[in-house]
Amino acid sequence: MSDATSDTPLLRVAGLSQRFAVSRDIFGRPSQWLEAVDRVDLELAAGETLGIVGESGCGKSTLARTILHLHRPSAGKVIFDGVDLGSAGPARLRQMRRRMQIVMQDPYSALNPRRTIGSSIADGVTGGDRRAKVRALLEKVGLSAGDAGRYPNEFSGGQRQRICIARALGPDPDLLIADEAVSALDVSVQAQILNLLAGLRRDFGLSFLFISHNLAVVRAFCDRVAVMYLGRIVETGPTEAVFQDPRHPYTRALISAVPIPQPGRRRERRRLLAGDVPSPLDPPSGCRFRTRCPHADEGCARTAPVLERLGDARQVACLRLGTLERGPVWAAPVSQAEARPC
């Protein structure tokens, strides 16, 4: 259980940065760095679900691994339940990590093929009858208690992901990080896993950090959303507020690209971004989005925007915020006479 007071966030990330040396000189000193995560600030309340969205390579997974201290942060702090993980000793860090678990994207590579699923799940279980808890966890995720003696190759992809979820629940965590946990699954299986996660969130009071490319899934599953671009957060806020009235140009472009499976619903003109995502080895000066932004001016090349808090519990990092258009990306449904058959 959490030791923090009710008004203290379960997780607070302050100025978190992560960079990797990609080349070295003849003396072995780093000569070029890749800035994967750059000065990220986030908060997550107990029982809340925060979605992290953005294009491939924007730093979502690296952010998750840095929060867990699988990568030691290059700068900044990760404070979990009032404990600064960067200053915690090895024993304290292991204790805190048990309360922060992750479900990886690929369930095929996440399990040891030479071990039964029961033994894999039991590794994280403490106290009481471990076998009984393993059987209970398997039943909780929709599998049979008798499956504990079987091997990963005997299960489908969706069943393996259920096994990975059961393993993550073994240490009784407070925070579950789902890193593209449904993207490798068939669409019908995705819905089953999402329903399972929603039930676990309700039954165990879990907090979720939910990383996904699927904006429709994020809208349905998450309480708040944070949009990343080239290692930086450009917009955060309540999910419905962001989807109904996206403020950052990048957020508007992402949402406008989501297909609408309703022939009677009309959208604005699709907002196509010019150019490719810049290399994180040499990001643009100032605003990193300026090379693809239709609203950028000379000031955007000189000054890096910071997240500004708005009146509706949202934060946006854009120097041109006051001049940008407002309103929904998706228009209201049209009448039956105006609708065209698909």
Side-chain angles (χ1 to χ4, degrees), residues 234-236 247-248 306-308 310 314-318 321:
V234 298
E235 183 167 359
T236 67
R247 302 297 301 276
H248 196 280
V306 296
L307 285 171
E308 296 184 11
L310 306 182
R314 296 168 64 181
Q315 292 178 294
V316 181
C318 182
L321 184 60

Side-chain angles (χ1 to χ4, degrees), residues 252-261 266-273 329-330:
R252 294 187 70 86
L254 284 181
I255 294 177
S256 78
V258 178
I260 300 178
R266 184 170 54 200
R267 69 155 81 237
E268 289 183 339
R269 175 177 54 86
R270 190 181 299 275
R271 300 168 184 276
L272 300 178
L273 295 177
V329 174
W330 294 341

Side-chain angles (χ1 to χ4, degrees), residues 204-280:
F204 293 98
L206 292 171
S207 299
F208 273 86
L209 195 63
F210 191 82
I211 297 171
S212 179
H213 287 96
N214 192 327
L215 297 184
V217 168
V218 169
R219 186 175 189 178
F221 189 74
C222 300
D223 303 311
R224 289 192 302 121
V225 62
V227 183
M228 285 191 75
Y229 184 80
L230 272 186
R232 292 181 179 172
I233 301 293
V234 298
E235 183 167 359
T236 67
T239 303
E240 274 307 306
V242 172
F243 274 81
Q244 290 293 335
D245 182 19
R247 302 297 301 276
H248 196 280
Y250 179 60
T251 309
R252 294 187 70 86
L254 284 181
I255 294 177
S256 78
V258 178
I260 300 178
Q262 300 177 15
R265 192 169 177 85
R266 184 170 54 200
R267 69 155 81 237
E268 289 183 339
R269 175 177 54 86
R270 190 181 299 275
R271 300 168 184 276
L272 300 178
L273 295 177
D276 297 322
V277 180
S279 170

Side-chain angles (χ1 to χ4, degrees), residues 276-324:
D276 297 322
V277 180
S279 170
L281 295 173
D282 186 24
S285 62
C287 176
R288 295 190 172 185
F289 184 62
R290 65 176 178 82
T291 57
R292 305 173 72 193
C293 179
H295 309 286
D297 59 15
E298 294 180 357
C300 298
R302 295 191 298 266
T303 306
V306 296
L307 285 171
E308 296 184 11
R309 191 173 297 276
L310 306 182
D312 55 353
R314 296 168 64 181
Q315 292 178 294
V316 181
C318 182
L319 298 175
R320 302 291 309 281
L321 184 60
T323 64
L324 299 181

Side-chain angles (χ1 to χ4, degrees), residues 118-165:
S119 62
S120 294
I121 296 172
D123 284 343
V125 174
T126 58
D129 187 342
R130 299 176 69 184
R131 290 186 178 181
K133 187 167 184 179
V134 168
R135 292 193 294 268
L137 286 172
L138 285 172
E139 292 177 347
K140 188 67 179 178
V141 299
L143 297 175
S144 169
D147 291 332
R150 298 169 62 188
Y151 289 85
N153 67 293
E154 301 178 59
F155 297 90
S156 66
Q159 290 173 325
R160 290 192 191 195
Q161 197 62 290
R162 292 174 185 270
I163 296 166
C164 292
I165 293 171

Side-chain angles (χ1 to χ4, degrees), residues 38-111:
D38 187 24
R39 292 169 288 176
V40 167
D41 297 321
L42 286 176
E43 289 188 355
L44 179 66
E48 185 181 35
T49 299
L50 174 64
I52 308 290
V53 302
E55 293 170 285
S56 297
C58 71
K60 304 185 298 296
S61 295
T62 302
L63 173 62
R65 285 160 172 75
T66 305
I67 288 174
L68 291 170
H69 273 56
L70 299 178
H71 301 313
R72 298 289 293 187
S74 302
K77 293 183 177 182
V78 177
I79 300 174
F80 182 76
D81 201 13
V83 177
D84 184 353
L85 300 185
S87 59
R92 182 61 166 160
L93 182 58
R94 284 195 299 271
Q95 180 186 17
M96 301 305 293
R97 273 178 171 167
R98 297 188 67 83
R99 299 173 56 192
M100 303 183 294
Q101 296 295 308
I102 187 169
V103 179
M104 300 291 188
Q105 176 178 356
D106 183 8
Y108 289 90
S109 61
L111 295 169

